[in-house]
């Protein structure tokens, strides 16, 4: 399903309620399946969605300028080569024609709601008979509710604005909002940006927004968790299973990013500076707020991330071991009906009878002790530790030759530097770059960049003199300055000596 399809799924039944002609108070409450008109192939819907997405791209590029229908037709023909201009005109006319939408909105103040009531409803009823008649009248009840929640309507439902003379089109504010909402119907892969909003809310002292942001992330996590459960129960959904396999790495990266952001936010909640800001903000609020409300909202998301990670790992393990093929839902009633209409052949029937029919009571009632491990429902224990995806510890060392070079040549180099500073030309002339019958010149140069990996007491010094050295293999190494390895304690006195020797 595309993003537009998911947006329509969320609003289709609301449109049915809006268009319903059901009488208020009617006892007929059963709902039948709606019979919708149309070609039932999604052609017009897909054409309209493609047109809206194209107009949004052009809207950003041209700063909400009008676009000719010829440009729209040329772009849509990349998807539908046989698209006619009449079909495009029909879609534009339909999306540019507004329809009236009726809704109700509560009055802002109680006095306004009381003032909106009819005069006979605000006056006290003079007799009990009149009160009973008003209570039993459905029309009066509907009118009172309509007065408390005022009926409103809008015709700002056109998604495209069309010029009358030229026929050029562009998105209306409602159309721009519709395309934006459709683009936001995404899953967990894009919720990592919502987790960064928690840090932004903490930085701006907007603490009231944190529960709403965490609830949005929690809804995305729960949606994916339910999808994983449905895939495990019904492995015939091969398309969704393939999508989960393709996006496995992206899901792990998104969960890791969300977890890092929320752990950082929870760590900030314990700092004294944020506690002072929260106390000052809470005193200015009319509602009661507690810091545990924020930490609890973040903790629920972290717990949901851990549960989702466990379910995703279980699904991948089942796929790897081939167990996902045996988790489908079997309709035994349908299987029994098919066996009644068409019995299996004699060989299969004999095999079924031999394996399923009990001939002795001992076989029918086995001991329970050997079967308990097979029937026990395995459930992982609840872990209160946060699950963090960190693959840096599993990475092999980038340069194993450097590790061997430091292990073998390190002690000798340390002793040499402690006797006197060792410059790069001297190190090359003494042959420190030769190791294991190989040329370790890059590894030696690495030490003259970061001497701490050789010895914590060493430092890198720079002398303002150029050098040029020719190696026996013909290579020529030169530099404008000469680096050297020396003790860090001696480096502390070097600036003073250089200051005294510098000519004025």
């Amino acid at each position: 399903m595309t993003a537009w399809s998911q947006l329509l799924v969320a609003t289709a039944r609301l449109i049915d309620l809006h268009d319903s002609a059901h009488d208020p108070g009617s006892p007929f409450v059963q709902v039948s399946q709606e019979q919708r008109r149309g070609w039932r192939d999604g052609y017009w819907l897909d054409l309209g969605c493609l047109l809206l997405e194209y107009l949004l791209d052009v809207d950003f590029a041209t700063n909400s300028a009008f676009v000719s229908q010829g440009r729209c037709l040329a772009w849509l023909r990349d998807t539908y080569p046989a698209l006619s201009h009449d079909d495009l005109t029909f879609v534009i006319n339909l999306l540019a024609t507004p329809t009236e939408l009726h809704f109700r909105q509560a009055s802002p103040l109680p006095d306004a709601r009381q003032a909106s009531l009819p005069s006979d409803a605000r006056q006290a009823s003079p007799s009990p008979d009149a009160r009973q008649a008003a209570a039993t009248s459905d029309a009066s009840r509907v009118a009172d509710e309509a007065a408390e929640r005022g009926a409103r309507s809008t015709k700002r439902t056109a998604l495209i604005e069309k010029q009358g003379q030229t026929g050029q089109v562009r998105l209306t504010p409602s159309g721009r909002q519709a395309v934006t909402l459709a683009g936001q119907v995404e899953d967990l892969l894009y919720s990592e940006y919502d987790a960064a909003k928690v840090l932004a809310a903490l930085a701006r002292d907007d603490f009231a927004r944190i529960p709403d942001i965490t609830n949005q992330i929690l809804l995305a996590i729960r949606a994916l968790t339910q999808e994983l459960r449905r895939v495990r129960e019904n492995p015939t959904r091969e398309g969704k299973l393939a999508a989960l396999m393709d996006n496995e790495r992206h899901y792990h990266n998104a969960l890791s990013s969300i977890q890092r952001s929320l752990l950082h936010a929870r760590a900030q909640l314990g700092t004294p500076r944020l506690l002072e800001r929260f106390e000052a903000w809470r005193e200015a609020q009319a509602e009661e707020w507690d810091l545990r409300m924020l930490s609890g909202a973040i903790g629920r998301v972290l717990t949901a991330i851990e549960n989702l990670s466990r379910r995703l790992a279980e699904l991948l393990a089942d796929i790897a071991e081939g167990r996902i093929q045996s988790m489908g839902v079997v309709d035994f009633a349908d299987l029994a009906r098919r066996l009644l209409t068409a019995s299996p052949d004699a060989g299969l029937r004999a095999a079924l009878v031999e394996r399923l029919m009990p001939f002795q009571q001992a076989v029918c009632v086995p001991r329970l002790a050997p079967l308990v491990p097979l029937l026990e429902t395995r459930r992982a224990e609840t872990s209160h530790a946060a699950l963090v995806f960190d693959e840096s510890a599993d990475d092999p060392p980038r340069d194993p030759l450097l590790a061997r070079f430091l292990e073998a040549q390190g002690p000798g180099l340390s002793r040499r530097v402690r006797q006197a500073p060792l410059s790069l030309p001297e190190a090359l002339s003494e042959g420190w770059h030769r190791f294991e019958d190989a040329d370790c010149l890059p590894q030696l140069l690495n030490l003259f960049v970061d001497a701490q990996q050789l010895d914590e007491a060493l430092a890198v010094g720079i002398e303002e003199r150029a050098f040029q050295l020719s190696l026996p293999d013909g290579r020529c190494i030169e530099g404008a300055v000469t680096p050297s390895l020396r003790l860090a304690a001696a480096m502390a006195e070097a600036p003073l000596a250089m200051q005294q020797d510098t000519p004025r």
Side-chain angles (χ1 to χ4, degrees):
M1 296 178 66
T2 63
W4 284 101
S5 303
Q6 296 176 3
L7 182 63
L8 291 177
V9 165
T11 56
R13 303 309 295 175
L14 296 178
I15 293 297
D16 292 337
L17 284 176
H18 176 270
D19 297 342
S20 176
H22 189 75
D23 295 330
S26 173
F28 302 100
V29 296
Q30 299 297 327
V31 179
S32 59
Q33 181 68 31
E34 297 288 340
Q35 297 294 329
R36 300 187 181 276
R37 300 173 298 172
W39 286 97
R40 297 180 182 273
D41 59 355
Y43 171 69
W44 298 112
L45 177 61
D46 187 49
L47 197 61
C49 295
L50 291 175
L51 177 61
L52 291 175
E53 293 174 356
Y54 171 71
L55 291 179
L56 181 64
D57 295 338
V58 177
D59 188 85
F60 285 129
T62 62
N63 197 12
S64 302
F66 281 94
V67 184
S68 63
Q69 296 187 20
R71 290 181 56 185
C72 299
L73 183 62
W75 187 85
L76 290 174
R77 278 179 175 172
D78 293 340
T79 306
Y80 293 99
L83 178 64
S84 64
H85 190 273
D86 293 337
D87 289 355
L88 177 61
T89 304
F90 167 72
V91 173
I92 291 176
N93 291 337
L94 182 63
L95 296 180
T97 303
T99 181
E100 189 172 8
L101 181 65
H102 299 272
F103 59 94
R104 291 188 179 184
Q105 187 174 4
S107 300
L109 298 175
D111 296 339
R113 290 197 300 265
Q114 184 67 19
S116 63
L117 290 174
S119 59
D120 55 351
R122 293 197 303 267
Q123 297 175 356
S125 180
S127 63
D129 296 337
R131 288 195 300 269
Q132 183 178 3
T136 56
S137 176
D138 292 336
S140 177
R141 175 177 56 83
V142 173
D144 293 343
E145 294 177 355
E148 292 182 3
R149 297 183 60 86
R152 304 286 189 272
S153 65
T154 181
K155 289 187 176 181
R156 299 177 56 185
T157 55
L159 303 181
I160 292 179
E161 181 181 358
K162 177 183 176 183
Q163 285 185 335
Q165 293 79 11
T166 62
Q168 294 184 343
V169 294
R170 69 178 179 184
L171 287 179
T172 62
S174 300
R176 193 177 299 108
Q177 184 181 18
V179 184
T180 305
L181 288 176
Q184 292 177 353
V185 183
E186 298 290 354
D187 54 6
L188 183 67
L189 296 179
Y190 302 93
S191 297
E192 53 183 319
Y193 306 106
D194 294 334
K197 297 179 183 178
V198 178
L199 298 175
L202 290 177
R204 299 170 183 173
D205 294 345
D206 194 4
F207 300 103
R209 288 278 298 160
I210 294 179
D212 296 335
I213 298 174
T214 54
N215 287 338
Q216 294 178 3
I217 303 175
L218 199 60
L219 288 176
I221 294 176
R222 289 176 177 174
L224 183 57
T225 305
Q226 294 176 0
E227 192 67 32
L228 290 177
R229 185 185 301 113
R230 286 193 291 267
V231 169
R232 294 194 69 194
E233 294 174 354
N234 187 6
T236 58
R237 305 178 62 186
E238 299 177 356
K240 188 61 180 179
L241 183 61
L244 289 174
M245 293 294 297
D246 295 338
N247 295 326
E248 171 198 357
R249 179 172 57 87
H250 301 293
Y251 281 127
H252 280 293
N253 293 337
L255 288 175
S256 178
S257 178
I258 295 173
Q259 195 173 49
R260 282 195 303 266
S261 300
L262 294 182
L263 288 175
H264 184 45
R266 190 169 64 177
Q268 290 187 14
L269 293 178
T271 58
R273 184 177 179 182
L274 191 139
L275 290 176
E276 295 177 359
R277 289 161 42 200
F278 179 77
E279 291 296 334
W281 174 83
R282 184 177 64 176
E283 293 176 357
Q285 303 299 317
E287 301 178 358
E288 289 292 335
W289 282 86
D290 193 340
L291 196 63
R292 289 175 295 181
M293 299 170 61
L294 306 183
S295 61
I298 296 176
R300 285 192 295 270
V301 179
L302 293 175
T303 304
I305 290 177
E306 184 178 356
N307 295 334
L308 176 59
S309 303
R310 184 182 298 112
R311 290 183 181 274
L312 186 59
E314 291 175 356
L315 176 63
L316 296 177
D318 292 338
I319 295 174
E321 298 179 6
R323 291 181 295 178
I324 193 67
Q325 301 297 333
S326 60
M327 292 184 181
V329 179
V330 179
D331 190 355
F332 290 99
D334 182 64
L335 179 61
R337 285 191 297 269
R338 286 188 295 172
L339 289 176
L340 289 176
T341 55
S343 59
D345 56 3
L348 179 60
R349 185 167 58 251
L352 288 175
V353 171
E354 182 180 356
R355 294 180 61 88
L356 298 180
M357 295 297 294
F359 295 99
Q360 297 180 3
Q361 188 176 4
V363 178
C364 187
V365 185
R367 294 179 57 190
L368 295 179
L371 299 179
V372 170
L374 301 178
L375 301 178
E376 181 181 359
T377 302
R378 299 184 60 186
R379 180 177 180 182
E381 298 180 357
T382 303
S383 174
H384 299 283
L387 182 61
V388 179
F389 294 95
D390 188 7
E391 299 178 356
S392 60
D394 300 332
D395 293 340
R398 297 283 182 91
D399 190 0
L401 181 58
L402 176 60
R404 299 199 310 270
F405 177 78
L406 291 176
E407 183 179 358
Q409 302 284 76
L413 273 172
S414 299
R415 290 192 299 269
R416 170 65 177 83
V417 175
R418 290 181 184 275
Q419 295 175 3
L422 178 63
S423 63
L424 180 58
E426 294 174 352
L428 293 175
S429 61
E430 295 177 7
W432 289 104
H433 63 289
R434 304 299 302 176
F435 172 66
E436 293 183 354
D437 296 333
D439 182 28
C440 295
L441 180 59
Q443 286 72 21
L444 181 63
L445 293 177
N446 201 342
L447 297 181
F448 283 86
V449 176
D450 183 11
Q452 297 290 326
Q453 58 184 337
L454 177 61
D455 194 341
E456 295 182 357
L458 301 183
V460 180
I462 302 296
E463 302 177 10
E464 295 183 358
R465 58 183 177 88
F467 77 95
Q468 184 175 2
L469 182 65
S470 298
L471 297 180
D473 55 2
R475 290 178 295 175
C476 183
I477 301 176
E478 59 182 4
V481 294
T482 302
S484 61
L485 298 178
R486 58 186 66 191
L487 293 175
M491 286 288 295
E493 302 176 357
L496 181 59
M498 292 176 61
Q499 182 179 1
Q500 294 176 354
D501 298 339
T502 302
R504 298 184 182 273

